[in-house]
Amino acid sequence: MKDTAGFQVRFLATILDVIIITVTVGVLSYFLYGVAFQDELRWVEAIEPLYNLLLPVIWGGYTLGKRMTHIHIIKMTGEKITLWSMFLRYIVSGVVYGLTLGVAVIVSAFMVGIREDNRAIHDFIAGTRVVYDT
Protein backbone atom coordinates (compact mmCIF):
# COMPACT_ATOMS: atom_id res chain seq x y z
CA MET A 1 0.00 0.00 0.00
CA LYS A 2 1.23 3.50 -0.85
CA ASP A 3 2.19 5.90 1.93
CA THR A 4 -0.45 8.54 2.58
CA ALA A 5 0.46 12.21 2.46
CA GLY A 6 0.33 14.12 5.74
CA PHE A 7 -0.76 17.62 6.63
CA GLN A 8 2.39 19.56 5.78
CA VAL A 9 2.82 18.29 2.22
CA ARG A 10 -0.90 18.59 1.48
CA PHE A 11 -0.93 22.14 2.85
CA LEU A 12 2.11 23.05 0.73
CA ALA A 13 0.43 21.61 -2.39
CA THR A 14 -2.68 23.69 -1.66
CA ILE A 15 -0.63 26.88 -1.19
CA LEU A 16 1.17 26.21 -4.49
CA ASP A 17 -2.18 25.68 -6.24
CA VAL A 18 -3.54 28.96 -4.82
CA ILE A 19 -0.46 30.83 -6.05
CA ILE A 20 -0.73 29.22 -9.51
CA ILE A 21 -4.44 30.04 -9.82
CA THR A 22 -3.97 33.62 -8.58
CA VAL A 23 -1.10 34.33 -10.97
CA THR A 24 -2.97 32.71 -13.88
CA VAL A 25 -6.12 34.75 -13.22
CA GLY A 26 -4.07 37.94 -12.85
CA VAL A 27 -2.19 37.38 -16.11
CA LEU A 28 -5.35 36.43 -18.05
CA SER A 29 -7.19 39.42 -16.64
CA TYR A 30 -4.32 41.74 -17.53
CA PHE A 31 -4.10 40.53 -21.14
CA LEU A 32 -7.88 40.53 -21.65
CA TYR A 33 -8.79 43.72 -19.79
CA GLY A 34 -5.58 45.62 -19.12
CA VAL A 35 -6.03 45.24 -15.36
CA ALA A 36 -4.54 42.40 -13.31
CA PHE A 37 -7.36 42.21 -10.75
CA GLN A 38 -10.72 43.93 -10.80
CA ASP A 39 -13.86 43.21 -8.78
CA GLU A 40 -16.09 43.28 -11.85
CA LEU A 41 -14.25 40.32 -13.39
CA ARG A 42 -16.04 37.62 -11.37
CA TRP A 43 -15.99 35.13 -14.28
CA VAL A 44 -12.36 34.42 -13.59
CA GLU A 45 -13.42 32.83 -10.30
CA ALA A 46 -14.64 29.91 -12.40
CA ILE A 47 -11.03 28.89 -13.02
CA GLU A 48 -10.49 27.66 -9.46
CA PRO A 49 -13.41 25.17 -9.35
CA LEU A 50 -12.60 23.91 -12.86
CA TYR A 51 -8.94 23.55 -11.92
CA ASN A 52 -9.78 21.55 -8.78
CA LEU A 53 -12.50 19.44 -10.42
CA LEU A 54 -11.14 18.68 -13.85
CA LEU A 55 -7.35 18.76 -13.67
CA PRO A 56 -7.07 15.83 -11.22
CA VAL A 57 -9.42 13.75 -13.38
CA ILE A 58 -7.52 14.54 -16.57
CA TRP A 59 -4.07 14.30 -15.01
CA GLY A 60 -4.33 11.12 -12.91
CA GLY A 61 -5.06 12.69 -9.51
CA TYR A 62 -2.67 15.61 -9.80
CA THR A 63 -2.99 19.35 -9.65
CA LEU A 64 0.11 21.39 -10.37
CA GLY A 65 0.73 21.81 -6.62
CA LYS A 66 0.34 18.11 -6.00
CA ARG A 67 2.66 17.28 -8.90
CA MET A 68 5.29 19.68 -7.50
CA THR A 69 5.08 18.01 -4.07
CA HIS A 70 4.98 14.45 -5.49
CA ILE A 71 1.53 13.52 -4.15
CA HIS A 72 -1.74 12.66 -5.88
CA ILE A 73 -5.34 11.68 -5.19
CA ILE A 74 -6.56 8.11 -5.71
CA LYS A 75 -9.69 6.18 -4.80
CA MET A 76 -9.54 3.98 -1.72
CA THR A 77 -9.58 1.00 -4.07
CA GLY A 78 -6.35 2.24 -5.65
CA GLU A 79 -8.08 3.16 -8.90
CA LYS A 80 -7.78 6.51 -10.63
CA ILE A 81 -10.24 9.14 -9.54
CA THR A 82 -13.30 9.98 -11.60
CA LEU A 83 -15.25 13.16 -12.20
CA TRP A 84 -17.87 11.85 -9.75
CA SER A 85 -15.31 11.30 -6.99
CA MET A 86 -13.90 14.79 -7.57
CA PHE A 87 -17.43 16.22 -7.52
CA LEU A 88 -18.00 14.58 -4.13
CA ARG A 89 -14.56 15.60 -2.88
CA TYR A 90 -14.76 19.23 -3.96
CA ILE A 91 -18.42 20.32 -4.30
CA VAL A 92 -20.24 18.17 -1.72
CA SER A 93 -17.51 18.58 0.88
CA GLY A 94 -17.48 22.32 0.13
CA VAL A 95 -21.16 22.43 1.04
CA VAL A 96 -20.43 20.54 4.28
CA TYR A 97 -17.59 22.95 5.10
CA GLY A 98 -19.83 25.93 4.36
CA LEU A 99 -22.77 24.62 6.40
CA THR A 100 -20.51 24.18 9.42
CA LEU A 101 -19.15 27.72 8.97
CA GLY A 102 -15.65 26.38 8.50
CA VAL A 103 -15.54 24.23 11.63
CA ALA A 104 -15.35 21.09 9.48
CA VAL A 105 -12.29 22.54 7.70
CA ILE A 106 -10.48 22.77 11.02
CA VAL A 107 -11.62 19.26 11.97
CA SER A 108 -10.36 18.00 8.58
CA ALA A 109 -6.96 19.61 9.12
CA PHE A 110 -6.67 17.85 12.48
CA MET A 111 -7.80 14.58 10.91
CA VAL A 112 -5.07 14.77 8.27
CA GLY A 113 -2.50 15.61 10.93
CA ILE A 114 -3.57 13.05 13.55
CA ARG A 115 -5.17 10.07 11.79
CA GLU A 116 -2.87 7.27 10.75
CA ASP A 117 -4.45 7.19 7.26
CA ASN A 118 -4.25 11.02 6.94
CA ARG A 119 -7.78 11.22 5.51
CA ALA A 120 -9.89 14.36 5.82
CA ILE A 121 -13.66 14.73 5.75
CA HIS A 122 -13.62 15.29 1.98
CA ASP A 123 -11.61 12.08 1.56
CA PHE A 124 -14.30 10.13 3.43
CA ILE A 125 -17.12 11.75 1.43
CA ALA A 126 -15.42 10.92 -1.88
CA GLY A 127 -13.81 7.61 -0.93
CA THR A 128 -10.34 8.96 -1.73
CA ARG A 129 -6.92 9.34 -0.19
CA VAL A 130 -3.84 11.36 -1.02
CA VAL A 131 -0.66 9.34 -1.49
CA TYR A 132 2.98 9.90 -2.33
CA ASP A 133 4.20 9.02 -5.82
CA THR A 134 6.02 5.73 -6.12
Side-chain angles (χ1 to χ4, degrees):
M1 185 182 290
K2 295 182 178 183
D3 288 335
T4 56
F7 178 81
Q8 293 89 348
V9 69
R10 288 173 70 158
F11 185 72
L12 176 59
T14 300
I15 294 299
L16 290 169
D17 285 331
V18 168
I19 291 168
I20 290 164
I21 292 167
T22 302
V23 169
T24 302
V25 167
V27 169
L28 282 174
S29 178
Y30 181 77
F31 282 114
L32 293 173
Y33 300 102
V35 178
F37 297 99
Q38 187 176 353
D39 289 340
E40 290 80 30
L41 303 176
R42 297 263 179 222
W43 70 267
V44 295
E45 293 175 358
I47 290 175
E48 190 264 339
L50 291 174
Y51 176 89
N52 284 307
L53 276 173
L54 299 179
L55 188 59
V57 174
I58 294 167
W59 206 15
Y62 291 98
T63 61
L64 291 171
K66 284 181 175 54
R67 176 69 79 176
M68 293 164 69
T69 55
H70 306 285
I71 61 175
H72 63 280
I73 308 163
I74 61 173
K75 288 184 171 185
M76 285 301 295
T77 59
E79 299 169 318
K80 289 184 178 181
I81 57 168
T82 63
L83 185 57
W84 177 248
S85 56
M86 286 310 298
F87 175 82
L88 292 172
R89 183 181 167 87
Y90 184 74
I91 302 296
V92 174
S93 64
V95 170
V96 169
Y97 293 152
L99 289 174
T100 62
L101 304 175
V103 172
V105 173
I106 296 166
V107 171
S108 277
F110 276 101
M111 288 172 66
V112 172
I114 295 171
R115 289 181 55 89
E116 189 173 319
D117 63 2
N118 302 111
R119 292 179 70 205
I121 292 171
H122 54 268
D123 290 311
F124 281 97
I125 290 172
T128 59
R129 61 191 173 119
V130 179
V131 297
Y132 284 99
D133 297 347
T134 54

